[in-house]
Amino acid sequence: MESNAHPIPFDLQKADIKGQLPKHIAIIMDGNGRWASEHSLTRSAGHKRGVEAVRSAVTGAAEIGIAYLTLYAFSSENWARPVEEVNDLMGLLRLYLSREIKTLDEKNVKLKVIGRRTGLANDILAMIAKAEERTVNNTGLTLIIALNYGARQEIIDCTKKIVKQVAESSLHPDEIDEKVFENNLETAGIPDPDLLIRTSGEVRLSNFLLWQLAYTEFCFLDLYWPDFTKDTLLNAIHDYLGRSRRYGARP
Ligand code: FPP
């Protein structure tokens, strides 16, 4: 696996670059387990290092001036992992939500959690509510944590909401369009990601933001999540800046 040996320097302060920076970056944080086994450590230690990489990504994104950062922390399919590992990951989330929220608040970060609330422990639900409430008026980076999240489930929940509005006659079927759909997703009000990063060399979406990624630029990196740093993020942004986004039209 590669590391961050060759950071590409570019001037973020240049007005033309500032205007082209991705507004929203989404990350599939993958490879904690493989990083751990390469370092002869437990998977639990790998996830712990993964939280350090989360800190680097959040601080880095805030410093670079990214408006939205979405991190895939726990998928609706991750419940299928051994119970000890699920408990480990939930424990790390507890620690993150309890210990990090003060720092996030001081850095003007606004926290939002997406994903189904059912199935999450009551104390975690309370921590999420408290953290979201504490940071609701912050105006810096919006950090979106996808927890117990699955895109297909999100689309089903969205469809149910729309069907209910139709059944209650507050919406006519002819009025259903992309905007209505977007407004009923959990990401309502958040622009679609401009850049998706997945670490660990795996090249798939794993049920992440399927609706929202329709025109997103993808960046698959050959490094494990615990090795992710601000330089990795800068390199991915540099790569993104070289892409030509056409949205199906001609350049
Ligand atoms: C993938 O590695 C990573 C996860 C399933 C969880 C990501 C979670 C964290 C980084 C910690 C908690 C997050 C926050 C926001 C505090 P893997 O276990 O699938 O690695 P492998 O594919 O190499 O086994």
Side-chain angles (χ1 to χ4, degrees), residues 146-171:
L147 179 63
N148 192 21
Y149 175 86
R152 288 183 172 180
Q153 291 85 335
E154 182 190 25
I155 290 169
I156 288 170
D157 291 345
C158 167
T159 308
K160 283 184 184 165
K161 281 197 231 167
I162 294 173
V163 168
K164 194 161 174 269
Q165 290 161 42
V166 171
E168 288 166 351
S169 302
S170 60
L171 183 71

Side-chain angles (χ1 to χ4, degrees), residues 21-177:
L21 283 177
K23 242 187 157 167
H24 184 174
I25 299 179
I27 308 184
I28 302 177
M29 310 179 288
D30 197 9
N32 292 348
R34 280 163 285 169
W35 180 92
S37 76
E38 272 195 7
H39 291 79
S40 308
L41 294 167
T42 59
R43 290 184 65 82
S44 171
H47 291 313
K48 241 187 193 156
R49 285 296 291 257
V51 178
E52 284 175 36
V54 167
R55 279 190 204 106
S56 306
V58 173
T59 313
E63 285 168 1
I64 294 165
I66 303 302
Y68 300 90
L69 177 70
T70 300
L71 301 177
Y72 204 4
F74 193 88
S75 76
S76 34
E77 289 74 30
N78 284 152
W79 294 109
R81 294 189 177 202
V83 67
E84 303 78 36
E85 185 169 354
V86 170
N87 289 342
D88 242 14
L89 285 165
M90 291 299 156
L92 287 171
L93 273 155
R94 279 188 179 89
L95 277 182
Y96 188 79
L97 289 169
S98 59
R99 289 198 188 151
E100 218 83 353
I101 200 63
K102 187 168 177 277
T103 318
L104 292 177
D105 195 19
E106 282 164 5
K107 289 187 171 154
N108 199 19
V109 173
K110 180 173 174 170
L111 183 86
K112 180 176 167 60
V113 174
I114 58 169
R116 280 189 180 159
R117 297 297 203 255
T118 40
L120 294 174
N122 284 337
D123 66 319
I124 293 188
L125 292 176
M127 282 177 188
I128 293 170
K130 209 170 146 194
E132 286 183 332
E133 198 185 309
R134 176 168 175 167
T135 60
V136 71
N137 292 319
N138 287 349
T139 54
L141 172 77
T142 298
L143 170 63
I144 301 141
I145 296 183
L147 179 63
N148 192 21
Y149 175 86
R152 288 183 172 180
Q153 291 85 335
E154 182 190 25
I155 290 169
I156 288 170
D157 291 345
C158 167
T159 308
K160 283 184 184 165
K161 281 197 231 167
I162 294 173
V163 168
K164 194 161 174 269
Q165 290 161 42
V166 171
E168 288 166 351
S169 302
S170 60
L171 183 71
H172 191 275
D174 290 344
E175 291 174 318
I176 300 171
D177 59 8

Side-chain angles (χ1 to χ4, degrees), residues 163-198:
V163 168
K164 194 161 174 269
Q165 290 161 42
V166 171
E168 288 166 351
S169 302
S170 60
L171 183 71
H172 191 275
D174 290 344
E175 291 174 318
I176 300 171
D177 59 8
E178 290 188 16
K179 213 66 252 138
V180 168
F181 220 87
E182 278 163 15
N183 289 340
N184 285 282
L185 288 167
E186 289 204 61
T187 49
I190 297 169
D192 288 342
D194 301 293
L195 173 63
L196 169 86
I197 299 171
R198 181 172 188 146

